[in-house]
């Protein structure tokens, strides 16, 4: 049997484990001690979806069994948040330049900042989603005095208005949203997750 965690083959001694589920249970207990959890399982090269897990867990172990796991830890999530916080702070200061860029024909530069904003929001939401696998960690994160869910439901509405303003080419509204709504919230994200000033 072969077990691979995050691309690294690990040594594992089989004692009383008879099925894939027995091995996974033991591994998950070890991961939990290190504030980590499994987010993806491949069994003999096939991805195991949540609904197929129980059947896969009953699979008897054999010499040819190969289990590949992708594991995420609170430490890695903390690192991701810190990186995203730094990016948020950089974009926050750039947001204020968008109206001027749009008015002076520098659409390409403005588009680049907007594209970075979209990538950041996407990346931050993925990290937040993975963080929710660790409720104690997730529930401690507050942005601007709000939990992540409340903060993002509020922020999403502003981003939707911003998208509409861009489509309408309403530079006054774009400028107001960028400077007074989006930029402060990006700084609040950076503050919350450790994006150093």
């Amino acid at each position: 049997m072969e077990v691979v965690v995050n691309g690294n083959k690990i040594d594992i001694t089989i004692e009383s484990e008879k099925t894939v589920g027995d091995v996974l249970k033991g591994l998950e207990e070890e991961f939990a001690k290190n504030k980590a959890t499994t987010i993806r399982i491949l069994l003999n090269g096939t991805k195991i979806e949540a609904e197929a897990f129980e059947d896969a867990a009953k699979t008897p172990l054999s010499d040819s069994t190969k289990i590949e796991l992708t594991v995420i830890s609170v430490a890695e999530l903390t690192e991701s948040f810190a990186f995203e916080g730094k990016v948020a702070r950089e974009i926050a200061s750039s947001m204020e330049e968008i109206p001027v860029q749009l008015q002076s024909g520098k659409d390409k530069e403005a588009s680049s900042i907007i594209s970075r904003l979209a990538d950041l929001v996407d990346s931050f939401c993925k990290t937040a989603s993975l963080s929710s696998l660790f409720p104690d960690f997730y529930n401690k994160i507050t942005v601007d005095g709000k939990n992540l869910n409340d903060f993002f439901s509020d922020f999403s509405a502003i981003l939707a208005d911003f998208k509409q303003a861009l489509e309408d080419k309403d530079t006054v509204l774009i400028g107001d949203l960028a400077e007074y709504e989006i930029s402060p919230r990006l700084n609040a994200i950076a503050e919350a997750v450790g994006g150093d000033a």
Side-chain angles (χ1 to χ4, degrees), residues 29-82:
E29 285 168 4
E30 283 306 305
F31 297 152
K33 289 177 193 169
N34 297 300
K35 292 189 179 173
T37 193
T38 305
I39 55 171
R40 186 167 179 258
I41 302 169
L42 293 179
L43 177 58
N44 300 324
T46 303
K47 185 178 177 190
I48 305 303
E49 302 294 348
E51 57 275 7
F53 179 79
E54 277 191 40
D55 288 338
K58 293 173 190 164
T59 307
L61 294 176
S62 73
D63 290 344
S64 62
T65 301
K66 183 174 184 183
I67 302 170
E68 296 169 85
L69 305 175
T70 304
V71 174
I72 189 91
S73 69
V74 167
E76 290 167 307
L77 292 167
T78 302
E79 241 172 67
S80 291
F81 273 139

Side-chain angles (χ1 to χ4, degrees), residues 21 27 32 43 54 58 82-83 89 100 102 105 110 116 123 125 127 130 132 157-158 164 167 175 178:
L27 288 169
L43 177 58
E54 277 191 40
K58 293 173 190 164
F83 174 75
R89 203 173 290 286
V100 177
L102 291 174
R116 284 189 76 203
S123 170
C125 286
T127 306
L130 288 170
S132 68
I158 288 158
Q164 189 60 54
E167 286 168 9

Side-chain angles (χ1 to χ4, degrees), residues 97-113:
E97 299 163 23
I98 287 178
V100 177
Q101 290 169 335
L102 291 174
Q103 286 160 353
S104 56
K106 295 182 177 174
D107 292 18
K108 204 173 181 182
E109 288 88 337
S111 292
S112 168
I113 296 167

